[in-house]
Amino acid sequence: MTTAREIMTPGTECIGADETVLVAARKMTELGVGALPICGTDNKLKGMLTDRDIVVKVLGAGKDPAKTNAGELAQGEAVTIGADDDAGEILRTMTSHKVRRLPVIDGHDLVGIVALADVARALPDPQVGDLLEALSTD
């Protein structure tokens, strides 16, 4: 079965927990992505920051993106997937946590991101439909 390593986007860049949301937004723009992993000074994954987080939790809440650190938006323990986990585990994890992007970990190292689009390209249509339905319901 297909593994996370085979379908992930490698070479993922982090935003530092101490860097501002404004820096994160600029980095997202430069990279053409809608989410960045948040990494601490210990280089460990702290969470994910999405473009929606920036709009809702910073701009919509009246906060200054130049004064709000990315780490302030990390919530709890980051949901991840192992690099050698199979597509079934990716589906279960995305579905149970209702996430569209999963950081891929090899040991303690962040090695990539598996996004919903990656899964959609790699799996048969019925499984993709089930995943989309699960993520789209409350």
Side-chain angles (χ1 to χ4, degrees):
M1 188 171 248
T2 305
T3 66
R5 186 183 314 276
E6 294 170 319
I7 63 172
M8 72 182 188
T9 301
T12 303
E13 288 194 36
C14 284
I15 187 71
D18 294 336
E19 292 184 272
T20 68
V21 171
L22 182 59
V23 170
R26 288 181 176 148
K27 188 177 264 194
M28 285 181 188
T29 300
E30 289 168 14
L31 297 171
V33 299
L36 290 170
I38 302 169
C39 295
T41 53
D42 57 1
N43 214 25
K44 290 189 178 178
L45 185 66
K46 303 295 182 192
M48 289 290 290
L49 177 66
T50 67
D51 47 9
R52 187 176 195 287
D53 291 333
I54 293 171
V55 171
V56 174
K57 296 175 183 174
V58 179
L59 301 176
K63 295 180 180 178
D64 183 348
K67 294 182 180 171
T68 304
N69 288 340
E72 294 175 42
L73 302 178
Q75 298 178 5
E77 191 172 328
V79 178
T80 63
I81 195 81
D84 296 319
D85 288 345
D86 66 29
E89 184 62 24
I90 296 168
L91 285 172
R92 284 188 293 279
T93 303
M94 284 184 160
T95 301
S96 67
H97 293 280
K98 292 200 178 253
V99 295
R100 296 171 184 264
R101 298 171 188 93
L102 285 172
V104 181
I105 304 295
D106 189 0
H108 294 289
D109 297 326
L110 177 67
V111 294
I113 296 279
V114 172
L116 183 57
D118 300 321
V119 178
R121 284 189 293 270
L123 297 176
D125 290 342
Q127 286 181 304
V128 173
D130 292 345
L131 176 60
L132 289 171
E133 182 179 338
L135 292 178
S136 299
T137 58
D138 290 330

